[in-house]
Amino acid sequence: MIKLTHQNIESELKAYCQRWLAYLSQKEFRQAHTLVSIPNNYGARWGQKDITEAIFDYFGNEVEFNIENTDIAFCSPEFMECNDGSYLFGFYFPVNGEITDLTVEFEFSHVKGNEYSATINDIHVL
């Protein structure tokens, strides 16, 4: 769950996603998982297993990987406000010293007041 001040929504969502990326870079998958408050439409909450599988699909199963805490500003971030009042924030996933073609797409849906749920729609290659 995230509380938005509505001062600069894009900046607030970027900071939220940056915190998720920082946890992953420190191999704190459980902490990162706590930031994903609801499952996506397919029932996934994108924990360590799902993230690892997406990276292995991209690099191959034999490679070791390190998720980088690169400033999302360098990861081609995209922000969009949807007609239903939700927000999308996506960026390329920085892994093994490169900005990969893996796209991480978060969705933030209004719950009540200034509270929004957070989910990851997908981590995939466009």
Side-chain angles (χ1 to χ4, degrees):
M1 197 74 67
I2 179 175
K3 290 184 179 183
L4 298 175
T5 66
H6 293 91
Q7 299 283 329
N8 185 336
I9 292 171
E10 183 174 2
S11 178
E12 291 178 66
L13 297 180
K14 177 187 174 282
Y16 191 86
C17 293
Q18 191 73 60
R19 188 168 0 128
W20 177 81
L21 192 57
Y23 285 141
L24 293 182
S25 73
Q26 298 164 6
K27 301 190 184 332
E28 294 288 338
F29 284 88
R30 285 187 191 171
Q31 286 296 101
H33 190 68
T34 64
L35 295 178
V36 181
S37 51
I38 61 170
N40 64 15
N41 292 335
Y42 305 107
R45 282 193 53 206
W46 287 93
Q48 181 173 0
K49 180 179 179 276
D50 299 311
I51 293 167
T52 300
E53 286 177 6
I55 293 170
F56 283 160
D57 284 348
Y58 183 80
F59 284 105
N61 288 342
E62 299 303 314
V63 71
E64 289 190 31
F65 66 88
N66 289 306
I67 298 168
E68 311 287 333
N69 189 19
T70 303
D71 186 332
I72 288 176
F74 297 112
C75 299
S76 301
E78 293 186 353
F79 167 74
M80 185 170 79
E81 184 173 354
C82 302
N83 291 335
D84 65 358
S86 63
Y87 301 100
L88 298 177
F89 192 93
F91 56 94
Y92 289 121
F93 208 11
V95 181
N96 289 349
E98 68 177 271
I99 307 300
T100 68
D101 290 332
L102 283 170
T103 301
V104 180
E105 183 184 77
F106 276 84
E107 182 174 353
F108 301 90
S109 300
H110 185 252
V111 176
K112 65 179 178 180
N114 64 343
E115 293 181 0
Y116 288 76
S117 63
T119 192
I120 297 174
N121 285 332
D122 206 0
I123 299 175
H124 65 283
V125 175
L126 290 178

